[in-house]
Amino acid sequence: MTKTRIEVNICLQSPGKRTGDALLRWSDDARPLGVYPVPIACIVGRSGATALLIAGVHGDEFEGPVALSQLIDEINPEQLEGRLIIVPALNSPAVLASQRTSPLDGRNMNRAFPGDPDGGPTDMIADFLVSVLLREADLAIDLHAGGKASVFATSALVTRSNNQDLMQANLDLAAAFGAPLTWLLGGFNDTRSLNSAALNAGVPMIAAELGGGGGTDPIEVSQAVIGVKRCLAHAGIIKQTLPTAPRSIFVETRSIADNIYAPVSGLFDRQFKAGDQVENGQLAGYIRSLDKLDDVPVPLHFSTKGYVLAHGNRGHVMRGDMLAMVVCETHM
Ligand SMILES: [Zn+2]
């Protein structure tokens, strides 16, 4: 296979703090001979492990990019026994457009891994991440949020692995991150995700969901900053006194039939929040018609006891839209 066509314009090895770009050459009408820069920072201290910190896989999820930008600003090489490689806007064309998918090729990056150096721009970036950056990493963290379309409960995401050591390393990272919920991904996780790429590479990794709505929330951002630092401290990369991580509740998707999808189109009158614990039969809300204002509202109910991992963020919904993602508590 062709090796990556993306070049980085800074040294990722020698001690110090540097910022630059991974240069994506994608010759189109807008930039026939230019590049689409993917900003990258590296902070290298004394010898130790390497953490790869990623955000902006989806371009309308800004909590992660802001949290990683704060860390780039705040952390200095003298504080580190190890190295940070930080990519706060991996799918930078999508981030600059504030949209989930890339405006260059319409692709969802978290369905593009392991990528292709000979593919389109999203495939090329995904391949660069796997074939260059993930190979350098001893651990990886990928920060997401609900974006414009949804709002997530603050949660860490762990991919299940039959490799017990890798599974434990993933769980240890999630425990250090300290989100209220830890979502264990299994058969419902798409194998084209960054989580799956890390699993295949044998690199311990968590992803995180940090609220949503398409902007940033200062509480979510500060929780992410502290969570990432606790993961770095756990890996011995940074020595810093940090607030103790609260215990996280393990949850999993039991069936997508536990989720609530809009049965008809209309206004979604939501009666719960992300993170709520809900009971079987509990009222979730109503769909109210704008076509006929005297139509009886359609009531919606939860069909299982569990936690609301996420809800849709659209006021007017179409039949089939996700209104609630419901996960069940599980034990390790
Ligand atoms: Zn995302």
Side-chain angles (χ1 to χ4, degrees):
M1 198 185 222
T2 318
K3 86 189 228 328
T4 182
R5 299 176 188 278
I6 295 179
E7 287 181 54
V8 180
N9 63 6
I10 55 169
C11 172
L12 298 177
Q13 311 296 338
S14 58
K17 175 156 140 179
R18 290 171 294 279
T19 60
D21 295 300
L23 305 172
L24 167 66
R25 280 181 294 147
W26 179 252
S27 180
D28 56 13
D29 287 336
R31 293 186 203 181
L33 297 174
V35 294
Y36 287 91
V38 178
I40 185 168
C42 80
I43 311 174
V44 186
R46 296 175 293 281
S47 67
T50 293
L52 175 60
L53 308 179
I54 304 291
V57 165
H58 294 132
D60 64 343
E61 303 171 2
F62 288 97
E63 295 82 350
V66 172
L68 294 189
S69 295
Q70 286 188 11
L71 288 168
I72 293 167
D73 191 33
E74 185 184 329
I75 295 179
N76 289 308
E78 299 74 38
Q79 296 170 265
L80 299 183
E81 286 183 26
R83 174 173 64 151
L84 307 183
I85 299 175
I86 306 177
V87 187
L90 182 67
N91 196 352
S92 64
V95 173
L96 296 183
S98 298
Q99 66 183 49
R100 181 175 178 81
T101 56
S102 173
L104 302 185
D105 58 11
R107 295 285 306 283
N108 174 351
M109 179 161 275
N110 228 17
R111 302 289 180 274
F113 290 95
D116 180 354
D118 295 328
T122 303
D123 269 329
M124 289 172 71
I125 298 172
D127 167 75
F128 166 73
L129 187 93
V130 171
S131 67
V132 179
L133 299 185
L134 208 49
R135 285 195 183 165
E136 304 261 333
D138 298 296
L139 68 104
I141 301 175
D142 178 26
L143 300 178
H144 288 251
K148 292 173 186 168
S150 56
V151 174
F152 271 79
T154 312
S155 45
L157 283 65
V158 166
T159 305
R160 290 181 193 274
S161 171
N162 294 327
N163 177 334
Q164 289 300 317
D165 291 342
L166 183 58
M167 182 72 193
Q168 191 57 53
N170 290 346
L171 290 172
D172 290 347
L173 278 178
F177 191 79
L181 298 177
T182 294
W183 186 21
L184 298 171
L185 304 172
F188 294 102
N189 186 40
D190 198 290
T191 54
R192 298 163 294 174
S193 67
L194 179 48
N195 281 69
S196 294
L199 186 72
N200 293 336
V203 176
M205 176 188 160
I206 57 167
E209 294 286 357
L210 306 163
T216 64
D217 177 298
I219 294 171
E220 295 286 352
V221 169
S222 66
Q223 282 184 346
V225 167
I226 292 170
V228 169
K229 282 184 180 174
R230 275 196 297 252
C231 291
L232 300 178
H234 164 72
I237 297 174
I238 197 166
K239 303 259 185 298
Q240 193 170 351
T241 306
L242 297 160
T244 307
R247 198 182 72 82
S248 190
I249 297 168
F250 290 110
V251 294
E252 64 182 354
T253 301
R254 199 184 59 180
S255 162
I256 63 164
D258 291 337
N259 298 339
I260 301 177
Y261 301 99
V264 293
S265 302
L267 292 174
F268 178 34
D269 178 359
R270 178 168 51 86
Q271 300 287 322
F272 62 88
K273 300 190 304 295
D276 279 359
Q277 191 171 13
V278 296
E279 298 294 331
N280 186 0
Q282 181 178 326
L283 180 71
Y286 300 92
I287 303 288
R288 299 182 182 276
S289 174
L290 278 179
D291 299 324
K292 286 185 69 188
L293 294 179
D294 58 349
D295 263 2
V296 177
V298 177
L300 304 165
H301 296 91
F302 292 101
S303 61
T304 190
K305 175 186 169 76
Y307 290 87
V308 178
L309 185 71
H311 64 72
N313 193 43
R314 290 180 174 140
H316 188 270
V317 297
M318 302 301 289
R319 182 170 135 77
D321 278 357
M322 185 277 284
L323 305 182
M325 281 178 68
V326 181
V327 288
C328 298
E329 185 166 2
T330 185
H331 299 280
M332 292 305 301

